[in-house]
Amino acid sequence: MASVLLVEDDPVVRAAITRALTGQGHMVHGVALAIEALREVTANNYDVVVLDLGLPDLDGGDALRMIRGVTNTPVVIATARDDEQEIIRLLNAGADDYLVKPFSSEHLGARVQAVLRRARESKQLVIGGLEIDVELRRATVDGRELTLTHKEFELLSYLAARSGEVVPRAEILANLWPSTRDDQTLDVHLSWLRRKLGERAAQPRYLHTVRGVGVRLVAPR
């Protein structure tokens, strides 16, 4: 059983999806506005968010970016929009899956189960001596627990989930700091993280900057 936040402004659709997911054993809380969704994900630990895009107060794409700024909870987009470029853009912006209405309750349930399964599998991240428990929000390096701020943990776990890849700076900012495009924000947090990991930019162990491109997190050799 999972706790589901359903963000859908149409009361008929919201009731139907709530009945379907409840019937599949989930606990569902439904809201109609993006601002209500942001309050909910900030205050409560949901297992998955099902998000419509056509919301009356804020476009769902903007809501997705704001949700990604405060939580890594899986997000399934459920909308009537079927433009391929829009789908790609939202998946790149942090959506975990995308369903185009109309869809069956069984189809939605299967997609929800799939993202939940992937989320559970990715909650334990181990890269060399760095261990991250995403669910408990706990990180250790060489057995030493790290004291991290919310954003430091989000940045570390985001890079760790893409271990070995060069993650573009623009992507990191868009997902973790959607309200700013100030590169200095990322640089400052990288500097703080390096200090806590016991490394320096000139002699990196885990966090390697690829000039003009992005950041790569890899295990020390």
Side-chain angles (χ1 to χ4, degrees):
M1 180 177 68
S3 58
V4 180
L5 175 64
L6 171 61
V7 190
E8 167 63 65
D9 67 307
D10 186 317
V12 175
V13 175
R14 188 168 65 247
I17 293 177
T18 297
R19 283 195 302 272
L21 292 178
T22 300
Q24 294 167 16
H26 302 303
M27 296 178 59
V28 183
H29 178 69
V31 298
L33 302 175
I35 190 65
E36 294 175 321
L38 291 170
R39 290 196 192 105
E40 284 293 324
V41 297
T42 301
N44 301 291
N45 294 319
Y46 288 94
D47 295 309
V48 64
V49 176
V50 177
L51 175 66
D52 182 32
L53 296 181
L55 302 174
D57 61 333
L58 186 67
D59 182 78
D62 294 326
L64 170 65
R65 284 186 286 275
M66 296 176 74
I67 289 171
R68 275 289 161 263
V70 297
T71 181
N72 282 328
T73 299
V75 176
V76 177
I77 302 292
T79 180
R81 299 181 193 176
D82 60 358
D83 179 73
E84 184 177 4
Q85 291 304 312
E86 175 80 346
I87 294 172
I88 292 170
R89 183 178 69 81
L90 290 170
L91 289 172
N92 286 334
D96 295 87
D97 207 342
Y98 195 110
L99 281 83
V100 177
K101 297 174 181 175
F103 48 76
S104 68
S105 60
E106 291 80 8
H107 189 178
L108 174 60
R111 294 293 187 94
V112 167
Q113 289 290 359
V115 297
L116 287 170
R117 185 167 56 251
R118 292 198 300 268
R120 290 178 183 127
E121 289 171 352
S122 66
K123 284 181 178 178
Q124 299 287 338
L125 303 171
V126 179
I127 300 96
L130 178 63
E131 298 185 18
I132 302 171
D133 189 313
V134 177
E135 186 171 22
L136 297 179
R137 299 188 68 81
R138 180 175 180 267
T140 62
V141 61
D142 301 328
R144 172 175 57 87
E145 186 160 1
L146 300 174
T147 302
L148 304 174
T149 66
H150 176 81
K151 279 298 183 183
E152 288 169 355
F153 184 86
E154 293 293 321
L155 177 57
L156 183 63
S157 57
Y158 189 84
L159 294 172
R162 303 271 296 276
S163 176
E165 300 179 33
V166 178
V167 185
R169 296 175 65 89
E171 178 186 326
I172 299 171
L173 285 169
N175 282 280
L176 300 187
W177 290 276
S179 60
T180 183
R181 290 296 180 268
D182 183 3
D183 275 7
Q184 195 169 24
T185 298
L186 175 56
D187 291 331
V188 168
H189 281 79
L190 283 171
S191 177
W192 291 339
L193 263 183
R194 285 192 173 102
R195 189 177 305 129
K196 292 180 179 182
L197 289 169
E199 63 182 60
R200 295 181 294 118
Q203 294 181 308
R205 296 181 64 227
Y206 289 95
L207 297 172
H208 297 256
T209 298
V210 180
R211 189 175 299 278
V213 182
V215 185
R216 180 174 61 207
L217 190 152
V218 295
R221 295 182 177 179

